Amino acid sequence: MQAADVTEWFQDNGEGLAVGVLRILLIVIAAWVVRALAKRAISRVVQRILQPSNGDTPRRGRGPAVLQRDPSRARERREQRARTIGAVLTSIVTVVIAVMGLAMVLGELGIALGPLLASAGVVGLAIGFGAQSLVADYLSGLLIMAEDQYGVGDIVDLGEAVGEVENVGLRLTQVRDLNGGLWHIRNGEIMRVRNDSQDWARAVLDVSVAYDSNLDTVYRVLEETGLALRNDPEFADVLLEDPSVWGVQSLDADGVVVRMAAKTQPLKQWAVTRELRRRVKEGLDAAGVELPFPQRTVWLREGADGAVPSPRGDASHATPVKR
C-alpha cells in the first residue's frame, strides 16, 4: 500500500476510527471510575459495620465479650476482618468490571462476542464442577468473617476439632486442641460452631451428697459458698451474677446430685468451677455433710464348718451367703 492509498484510507475512515478510539477510551475511563467508586464504597461500608464508635455498645453476639475488655485486641480483630472482607469484595468488583469493560471494548473493535461467550461458558462450567468445594470454602469463609462467628483467640467446638482458634482464612480455619495438635478445617465443611468466648459463659457444678443428708443444709452451704466467691476480690470481675442453687439434679445410685451454676466471663467458667468445687468440699465437711461413696454388695463363701476359707483354701463345698 502506497502513501496515497494510506492517506485516502484515513480520509475515508478517519472519522469512524476517531469515534471508535474515543469510545474505547471512554469505556476504560468509565470502568476505572466505577471501580474507584466501588472500592471507596466498600471500604466505607466495611469500616462502618466492623468498627463501632467509642460511645456505641457492642451488639449482642458480635464478638466475644473478652475482647470488649481488651480494646487493643478488639480493634486488631476488627481491622483484620475489615481488611480481609474489603480485599475480597474489591477483587470481585474488579474482576466483574474488567470483564464487562473488555467485552465492551471487543464489541467496539467489531469482534463477535457470541463464540467467545459460548467458549467461556463451557470452560467456566467445567471449572465450576471441578471447583465446587473450593468455591464453597471461600464463600463460607467470607460469611464466617462477615458474621463474626469466631476469630483468633476464641475457644470453639467445630465437631472433632475443639480448641483455640489460631487463624481464620477464607479457605481454612486452624484450631489448636488441648493436646497441642493443630487442626486444619475447610470452611465449607463446618456445619455448626459452638463458641465459648462470646458474651458470657456458665460455670455448672454438680455436687453429690449422701441420701441421709439434710438438703436444706446442703442448699445453705452452697449458697454461702457462692456468695463468698462472688465477694472475693479475685473473682469479683469474673462472676457476672451471684451463683444460684438450681436444686436436685438427679438421684443416682450412690447419692443425691445437687446442681449450682454461675454466669461468668467467657473462658473463665472452668477456673470458677474448680474454685467452687474446692470451697464446696470444705463447706460441706465443716457442716458435717457426708459425701457419698460407691456402695457394693459383697458375697462371701463359707465352708461346711461355718469358717470363711482362705484364698488358697478349698471352697468346693461352700454355700454363698450375703453379708
Side-chain angles (χ1 to χ4, degrees):
M1 182 179 294
Q2 298 182 359
D5 296 334
V6 173
T7 302
E8 183 178 357
W9 185 87
F10 271 105
Q11 290 177 352
D12 296 338
N13 301 281
E15 184 177 355
L17 181 62
V19 172
V21 172
L22 181 60
R23 288 181 177 178
I24 293 175
L25 184 60
L26 290 176
I27 292 173
V28 173
I29 295 175
W32 182 83
V33 171
V34 171
R35 179 187 177 276
L37 294 176
K39 183 178 179 180
R40 186 174 181 181
I42 291 173
S43 299
R44 287 187 174 182
V45 171
V46 171
Q47 293 298 329
R48 182 177 302 175
I49 295 176
L50 301 181
Q51 294 187 359
S53 61
N54 296 331
D56 292 342
T57 301
R59 291 175 295 175
R60 183 176 182 83
R62 295 297 180 180
V66 67
L67 293 182
Q68 299 172 12
R69 305 193 308 272
D70 190 350
S72 61
R73 186 179 174 189
R75 183 172 57 254
E76 180 181 356
R77 173 168 171 167
R78 288 197 301 268
E79 290 177 355
Q80 179 185 9
R81 292 172 55 217
R83 287 195 300 267
T84 304
I85 296 175
V88 172
L89 295 179
T90 301
S91 299
I92 294 175
V93 170
T94 300
V95 172
V96 172
I97 293 176
V99 171
M100 293 179 61
L102 180 61
M104 295 175 67
V105 169
L106 293 178
E108 290 294 332
L109 295 177
I111 299 177
L113 298 179
L116 292 178
L117 293 177
S119 301
V122 173
V123 174
L125 187 63
I127 295 176
F129 276 113
Q132 289 183 22
S133 60
L134 186 62
V135 173
D137 293 340
Y138 278 95
L139 290 178
S140 298
L142 184 61
L143 291 176
I144 288 172
M145 292 184 180
E147 298 173 356
D148 195 20
Q149 298 178 14
Y150 55 82
V152 176
D154 288 356
I155 304 297
V156 298
D157 181 351
L158 303 181
E160 294 187 26
V162 180
E164 181 179 357
V165 178
E166 290 198 351
N167 183 52
V168 181
L170 288 176
R171 192 175 72 88
L172 292 175
T173 293
Q174 295 177 335
V175 176
R176 181 79 62 177
D177 63 17
L178 182 62
N179 297 322
L182 185 63
W183 291 73
H184 301 264
I185 308 101
R186 288 170 42 197
N187 293 328
E189 295 181 345
I190 299 176
M191 298 291 102
R192 51 77 169 164
V193 179
R194 191 191 74 192
N195 194 331
D196 293 327
S197 305
Q198 286 188 342
D199 297 327
W200 54 272
R202 176 174 283 127
V204 179
L205 177 63
D206 288 338
V207 181
S208 184
V209 297
Y211 271 98
D212 57 355
S213 299
N214 189 322
L215 291 182
D216 292 335
T217 302
V218 174
Y219 289 175
R220 177 180 56 81
V221 171
L222 295 182
E223 291 174 354
E224 293 176 353
T225 303
L227 290 177
L229 185 66
R230 179 69 187 277
N231 296 327
D232 191 335
E234 184 178 354
F235 292 90
D237 295 334
V238 175
L239 291 171
L240 302 180
E241 62 181 21
D242 293 340
S244 59
V245 179
W246 287 4
V248 176
Q249 179 67 18
S250 63
L251 301 175
D252 292 346
D254 299 325
V256 181
V257 179
V258 180
R259 172 167 291 184
M260 68 179 305
K263 186 179 292 187
T264 70
Q265 295 286 359
L267 306 182
K268 299 297 183 180
Q269 63 269 32
W270 302 293
V272 171
T273 303
R274 287 190 290 267
E275 182 64 18
L276 270 177
R277 189 177 291 113
R278 182 184 69 83
R279 298 193 181 198
V280 165
K281 170 63 169 60
E282 295 176 352
L284 293 178
D285 289 343
V289 177
E290 180 183 357
L291 298 180
F293 53 89
Q295 302 182 20
R296 300 292 182 268
T297 300
V298 180
W299 290 76
L300 300 178
R301 292 179 180 271
E302 294 183 349
D305 55 355
V308 178
S310 64
R312 295 183 180 180
D314 184 8
S316 58
H317 300 289
T319 58
V321 296
K322 181 179 179 181
R323 288 187 175 180

